[in-house]
Amino acid sequence: MTIGEMLAATVPMARTLNLEFVETTPEKAVVALPDQGDFHNHVGGPHAGAMFTLGESASGAIVLAAFGDQLSRAVPLAVSAEIAYKKLAMGPVTATATLGRPAADVVAELDAGQRPEFPVAIAIQRGDGAVTGEMTVIWTLRPNG
């Protein structure tokens, strides 16, 4: 099962919004939100909440890709999130997530018995490439036990 398939199977909001996991690697995750009238706002574009969920889902996908091998000893959890809506989003939108710290540094902190925190940066773009939103989600790997 791919990370996208796993998230679609285990995260009801990802299924509800029909998110498409386009690319999921430890270096980058790309998730698309199709244009769907049921999730439009008052001006006919994707609702802010749908775009937030899109960005958070992209961040979760890269966290699983980068740290999936740590799941036996730590649980990834979102700690906080911030989003800025930059331009009007219309039509389908895509979120691209990247890690803000090298994964090896995060694992080294986990190895040292710490609870590492790390940012994931997300850019949300419409079809013409314009960035309509920027988001940062701070994640942690909470050690089991």
Side-chain angles (χ1 to χ4, degrees):
M1 185 179 287
T2 68
I3 289 173
E5 290 168 340
M6 182 179 68
L7 286 171
T10 59
V11 180
M13 270 311 280
R15 282 193 314 276
T16 297
L17 291 176
N18 300 305
L19 298 182
E20 300 169 5
F21 292 84
V22 177
E23 178 182 346
T24 305
T25 70
E27 291 75 39
K28 179 172 72 171
V30 180
V31 181
L33 173 66
D35 187 23
Q36 303 166 85
D38 286 346
F39 305 115
H40 281 177
N41 59 20
H42 62 289
V43 294
H47 188 276
M51 288 193 295
F52 183 94
T53 301
L54 170 68
E56 195 275 341
S57 297
S59 76
I62 197 169
V63 167
L64 287 176
F67 303 108
D69 59 342
Q70 304 300 318
L71 295 181
S72 64
R73 66 182 185 139
V75 175
L77 297 170
V79 174
S80 64
E82 184 174 297
I83 191 166
Y85 301 100
K86 300 290 190 178
K87 292 185 178 188
L88 183 62
M90 297 298 281
V93 289
T94 303
T96 302
T98 55
L99 287 179
R101 291 181 56 201
D105 293 354
V106 174
V107 172
E109 285 183 20
L110 188 61
D111 289 342
Q114 299 173 9
R115 181 176 170 167
E117 289 190 2
F118 53 95
V120 175
I122 304 103
I124 301 171
Q125 296 176 283
R126 60 187 185 210
D128 65 3
V131 174
T132 62
E134 294 175 338
M135 185 173 179
T136 301
V137 179
I138 305 297
W139 285 84
T140 188
L141 295 180
R142 185 189 74 197
N144 296 335

